[in-house]
Amino acid sequence: MDQQRPQHALVVGQGSREHALVYSLTESKHFSKVYAAPGNPGIAGLAECIAYQNLPELISWCAKREPLLVIIGPEAPLVAGLADALRSQGHWVVGPSQAAAALEGSKTYAKEVMRRYNIPTARAQMARTPAQLQAWIEEETMWPHVMKQSGLAGGKGVVIVDSREAAWHVAESWTERPELFDEGILWEECLIGEEISVHVLTNGHEYAWLPLTRDYKRVNARSDAPNTGGMGAFGPVPGLDPETKDRINKEILDPVMQFLRDERMLYRGVLYVGLMLTASGPQVLEFNVRMGDPETEVIVPMVEQDWGALWMQLAQGRLPRIADHFGKAAVAVVLADERYPNPTTGGQPLHIPQNLDGLVFQGATRLVDGVLEGNGGRILTVVGVGPDVSNARRQAYQVMSQIDAPGTQYRQDIALEHRDS
Ligand code: AMP
Ligand code: GLY
């Protein structure tokens, strides 16, 4: 790396995704020092963790440093404009501008952009008042239907309702939170098909596909179980025929690039499109302006390139080249608090043996008097890596079986339906 390039890097965030991002940098050897803000006890084994109370404090900390490579993991600081603030200080940032982050920050705005650019997505109406929502529920004849909060909700603001009664129930509980209606509630057609997570690296003009992955959104295998941030993932997902990939490029990704150019929005980072492959073709469920969690935990070990170099090119506005064949498959299984996705403050002791034959990325963990314990919903993610998905799956569950954590849950069926091609 030449002298102009930063020697130090910072990863913003504190989940398993950020642990995997820090790992991607420490494996790279291009950076002599990696910081994480705020990080977690697992990340502290690889990077120096920086505590901060609010974004202005983090921005001041960065202002005192030589130019850093900064990777912003979660959506909230992107939507709050952290990438712009750090770029204006001369740092090299992986993450879109605040303007472009609205593609994730407001589902209402994203729908409007999709309508303008003719991007296929579920039909939706937007309610600004409980009365409007109730009227649509009353008139609806198609069940199931989808109810979505427009603003950020950590993957938990979406409910699929299979009857009018169920919809009434959700509407009633959301009516108690008027701020949800200020941002808008979407009443959306339910799409049927196979769901995939498309991640691309992009400089706002061109894009490069990362391996295709599948996320398991529901807390357990039951079809009526609540949605979560994600309980597991695997990749590569086989069988995306060239025609479908071509449609995703032409009907979805190219128009997003056109939108960014038309609006002159700066985008150097990852665009993650949640897609449903329906009988009539790929349709967008949501745009995310960062990497998925737990998708990151499988993508990082699958792409056997120098991630430090990839991130740096992206931060400089260059499009990295990504191989289109991956020699490795990976399976991630999330260990969550048994109360998740309901709120929880954790507290269960965690025993993670040393030298496990797989990767363990910590999420909601804390150290209390030197003892590691759970600190919230998604506690950690174990990742198995192998020549194919079956081997990776076996390794992931073997590692999970060696972790002792009372009061937790994990799905047994991650990548179970998968057949290696
Ligand atoms: P979102 O945050 O919009 O991606 O929604 C979270 C999850 O809810 C998605 O990953 C899907 O599993 C599901 N979902 C969202 N919108 C729809 C839809 N229109 N039809 C069917 N499932 C949906
Ligand atoms: N795995 C879903 C998300 O990161 O939004």
Side-chain angles (χ1 to χ4, degrees), residues 362-380:
Q362 291 188 28
T365 60
R366 64 177 176 240
L367 276 174
V368 177
D369 298 330
V371 176
L372 189 69
E373 57 179 45
N375 191 28
R378 291 191 292 170
I379 294 170
L380 54 83

Side-chain angles (χ1 to χ4, degrees), residues 8-324:
H8 295 181
L10 165 69
V11 172
V12 178
Q14 59 186 336
S16 304
R17 166 183 49 211
E18 286 73 27
H19 195 169
L21 291 171
V22 166
Y23 169 80
S24 81
L25 289 167
T26 50
E27 285 287 288
S28 144
K29 314 258 191 299
H30 272 311
F31 293 90
S32 57
K33 172 130 196 147
V34 180
Y35 297 97
N40 65 37
I43 292 174
L46 297 175
E48 181 178 334
C49 293
I50 307 299
Y52 66 96
Q53 298 301 319
N54 48 44
L55 288 184
E57 210 174 289
L58 179 60
I59 293 166
S60 311
W61 182 87
C62 291
K64 297 185 200 110
R65 306 246 126 38
E66 295 287 306
L68 295 158
L69 169 72
V70 184
I71 307 178
I72 302 174
E75 57 276 19
L78 291 166
V79 170
L82 182 62
D84 308 272
L86 297 183
R87 271 193 193 103
S88 72
Q89 290 181 351
H91 297 295
W92 298 99
V93 183
V94 175
S97 59
Q98 181 173 34
L103 282 175
E104 176 166 3
S106 166
K107 289 184 194 287
T108 312
Y109 178 69
K111 278 283 178 204
E112 171 57 23
V113 171
M114 287 189 266
R115 195 189 56 74
R116 268 195 349 238
Y117 285 82
N118 220 2
I119 295 173
T121 184
R123 277 191 306 277
Q125 291 163 293
M126 209 251 308
R128 290 278 188 192
T129 63
Q132 206 168 38
L133 181 60
Q134 281 156 11
W136 286 327
I137 295 173
E138 200 55 40
E139 286 163 18
E140 191 56 62
T141 54
M142 303 263 287
W143 303 98
H145 226 74
V146 184
M147 301 172 75
K148 285 189 184 179
Q149 300 167 9
S150 178
L152 293 182
K156 286 160 260 170
V158 176
V159 186
I160 300 178
V161 285
D162 56 11
S163 67
R164 187 165 288 119
E165 292 66 38
W168 277 120
H169 190 70
V170 175
E172 217 166 64
S173 73
W174 289 2
T175 299
E176 287 163 17
R177 297 165 61 195
E179 74 282 1
L180 296 180
F181 286 86
D182 294 342
E183 296 210 43
I185 300 290
L186 291 171
W187 179 247
E188 186 168 302
E189 166 199 18
C190 188
L191 299 174
I192 310 293
E194 223 182 300
E195 195 174 334
I196 50 170
S197 302
V198 172
H199 284 73
V200 294
L201 301 178
T202 179
N203 59 6
H205 300 277
E206 308 159 281
Y207 52 88
W209 282 59
L210 289 168
L212 199 60
T213 56
R214 173 158 304 133
D215 179 20
Y216 289 68
K217 289 266 162 63
R218 293 183 185 275
V219 71
N220 58 47
R222 284 185 24 206
S223 65
D224 62 347
N227 262 323
T228 69
M231 292 295 287
F234 76 91
V237 176
L240 192 64
D241 56 87
E243 191 204 334
T244 307
K245 185 165 179 182
D246 200 47
R247 284 187 70 173
I248 295 171
N249 286 334
K250 291 213 171 80
E251 296 174 15
I252 297 166
L253 295 169
D254 293 348
V256 172
M257 296 300 123
Q258 187 61 46
F259 156 74
L260 294 172
R261 277 196 297 272
D262 289 348
E263 300 292 325
R264 298 179 185 282
M265 286 180 182
L266 185 82
Y267 203 123
R268 294 176 178 178
V270 182
L271 175 68
Y272 149 24
V273 188
L275 279 181
M276 194 73 94
L277 299 176
T278 72
S280 61
Q283 300 214 36
V284 176
L285 294 169
E286 64 173 343
F287 288 125
N288 300 292
V289 297
R290 37 86 199 169
M291 290 187 81
D293 186 356
E295 289 93 328
T296 307
E297 293 93 300
V298 292
I299 290 173
V300 163
M302 280 167 64
V303 178
E304 297 176 287
Q305 292 177 240
D306 185 323
W307 276 101
L310 294 182
W311 292 130
M312 196 52 217
Q313 283 168 28
L314 199 58
Q316 291 173 323
R318 294 187 288 145
L319 188 73
R321 268 174 201 271
I322 302 291
D324 54 14

